[in-house]
Amino acid sequence: MNFRIFSAALCAPVALIVSSPASAEGFEGFRVDLHGGYDAVSSVYTVDGATAGVGIGYDVPVGESVIVGVEANLDYSSAKDEGVYFGVAYSQVARRDIELSARLGVQLGKTTLGYLKAGYSNAGYEGAAAGYGLWAYEKGTSDGIRLGAGLEQRIAEKWFVKGEYRYTRYGSDDVNRNQAIFGVGYRF
């Protein structure tokens, strides 16, 4: 089910690239944004929480209605699981998330941009357990592939709001991350 929804989200903006006659003017140059939203990290089970961060990017028009760009994001997550299992107290926390990605967008009108993105993600995590006179602590990072789709809406000459879905697969650790992000940004 999730694969079908994600496939449809990827195909819709590509179809719009071919059919949109608008100019990419207004969606070019350097940009920054503040964003936040929902973060769910899954392996054997899912932990979720909030995420917040900052992004920077640069977009270049490559046609009347198409842009290509690069971006970097730094996010922090509150996704956490803690409890007691067979007398052992545990805590697992998803910490920071660094993203470097490329995006391909199409202007969907004078003030709206739809885009797809793909890139690299590096997530930090911490885990601890204590019980029966013993304790253990682990802190590390995991590399993954990030895919996403979003909409950017210009609300003033230089200001915009955005909504974005992100999926990340951390291959060696068999971990998935799903995020729904909303933000506000400024283009220079």
Side-chain angles (χ1 to χ4, degrees), residues 9-167:
L10 287 176
C11 291
V14 171
L16 291 169
I17 287 172
V18 177
S19 64
S20 179
S23 168
E25 187 176 319
F27 292 100
E28 58 195 28
F30 183 71
R31 62 185 157 79
V32 296
D33 69 75
L34 296 174
H35 53 264
Y38 176 74
D39 187 18
V41 181
S42 306
S43 57
V44 176
Y45 56 92
T46 300
V47 296
D48 60 359
T51 186
V54 62
I56 61 170
Y58 191 83
D59 297 314
V60 177
V62 293
E64 286 190 27
S65 62
V66 179
I67 63 102
V68 293
V70 293
E71 65 182 15
N73 289 290
L74 175 61
D75 300 329
Y76 285 90
S77 177
S78 72
K80 180 178 186 177
D81 181 37
E82 58 188 1
V84 177
Y85 189 70
F86 289 113
V88 176
Y90 68 90
S91 175
Q92 300 176 4
V93 182
R95 293 285 185 207
R96 62 124 183 96
D97 180 29
I98 298 170
E99 172 193 336
L100 301 172
S101 61
R103 74 181 197 162
L104 174 66
V106 62
Q107 194 165 355
L108 306 176
K110 282 184 122 4
T111 60
T112 305
L113 180 76
Y115 60 90
L116 300 175
K117 65 192 273 180
Y120 165 81
S121 174
N122 178 273
Y125 62 88
E126 291 181 35
Y132 305 110
L134 302 171
W135 68 274
Y137 174 79
E138 180 183 19
K139 180 177 182 178
T141 62
S142 186
D143 297 321
I145 301 295
R146 168 143 311 150
L147 301 173
L151 288 173
E152 189 174 300
Q153 177 70 44
R154 208 168 55 227
I155 56 173
E157 185 178 341
K158 300 284 187 176
W159 291 93
F160 65 90
V161 293
K162 74 175 191 175
E164 181 175 287
Y165 168 75
R166 301 172 180 172
Y167 170 79

